[in-house]
Amino acid sequence: MGGTVSAVSSNGTYSFTKPNRDSITLIAGLGVEGDVHAGVTVKHRFRMRKDPSQPNLRQVHLIHEELFTEVGAAGFEVAAGQLGENVTTRGIDLLGLPTGTLLRLGDEAVVEVTGLRNPCAQIDGFQQGLMKQVVGRDEDGTVRFKSGIMSVVVHGGVVRPGDPVEVELPDGPHRPLEIV
């Protein structure tokens, strides 16, 4: 089971979107080198206000490129990096992965999936109405968050567009993703 990295993005300052890069460097235990969300402790502004000492389970944000096609069918134009992700993938059901899944990105980098990204009001600030597209409901009425997953860096390395992504599921029983 695997896919491809379609884009990589980072930003050294707080901004909703992140510019695409030729490559990013992941650093074990910290995140994306030079990215504002890198660090051992939480860097998300809202979470820092609540408790700045909590561990950073949101070092690397990944979104599946297929989401852009889905929201495009509803009239929204979204490209890689515009929802604040660091790694945009293609060909992997990121939202269906269990907690603890290892993703091998390129030749060296490995991230461990920690949970779902919680969609925030900034999504509607980016494009009014987009929030409804990234928060949906399953057939049974269960709320489903589609704005990507979060991870921590287990092994560092350089990640580039076109790199393969290999999926290593944890031993069972699998725990579904929750918001982190």
Side-chain angles (χ1 to χ4, degrees), residues 40-58:
V40 174
T41 56
V42 68
K43 299 302 176 201
H44 186 274
R45 288 184 191 181
F46 174 75
R47 293 174 187 278
M48 285 178 16
R49 283 192 295 264
K50 288 177 79 173
D51 179 5
S53 68
Q54 57 187 306
N56 188 3
L57 301 177
R58 303 165 58 94

Side-chain angles (χ1 to χ4, degrees), residues 160-171:
R160 295 177 180 84
D163 280 349
V165 179
E166 295 177 23
V167 177
E168 183 180 324
L169 297 174
D171 292 336

Side-chain angles (χ1 to χ4, degrees), residues 84-143:
E85 77 276 11
N86 301 109
V87 178
T88 309
T89 65
R90 180 177 36 248
I92 299 174
D93 178 13
L94 295 177
L95 302 176
L97 297 174
T99 302
T101 298
L102 297 179
L103 298 175
R104 299 181 187 286
L105 308 170
D107 293 333
E108 298 177 335
V110 179
V111 298
E112 180 179 340
V113 176
T114 55
L116 292 169
R117 174 201 183 182
N118 57 321
C120 65
Q122 288 182 325
I123 292 174
D124 268 348
F126 172 66
Q127 287 186 41
Q128 188 61 41
L130 184 57
M131 177 76 114
K132 281 187 172 182
Q133 300 300 312
V134 298
V135 178
R137 293 194 180 268
D138 288 339
E139 292 91 28
D140 66 359
T142 303
V143 175

Side-chain angles (χ1 to χ4, degrees), residues 1 5 9 11 18 21-22 79 81 83 92 94 102 105 108-109 121 123 138 146 151 159 161-162 164 177 180:
M1 177 169 31
V5 173
S9 311
N11 200 339
K18 296 187 180 200
R21 308 287 182 191
D22 292 332
L83 294 181
I92 299 174
L94 295 177
L102 297 179
L105 308 170
E108 298 177 335
I123 292 174
D138 288 339
K146 305 183 218 176
S151 65
V159 182
L177 297 177
V180 296

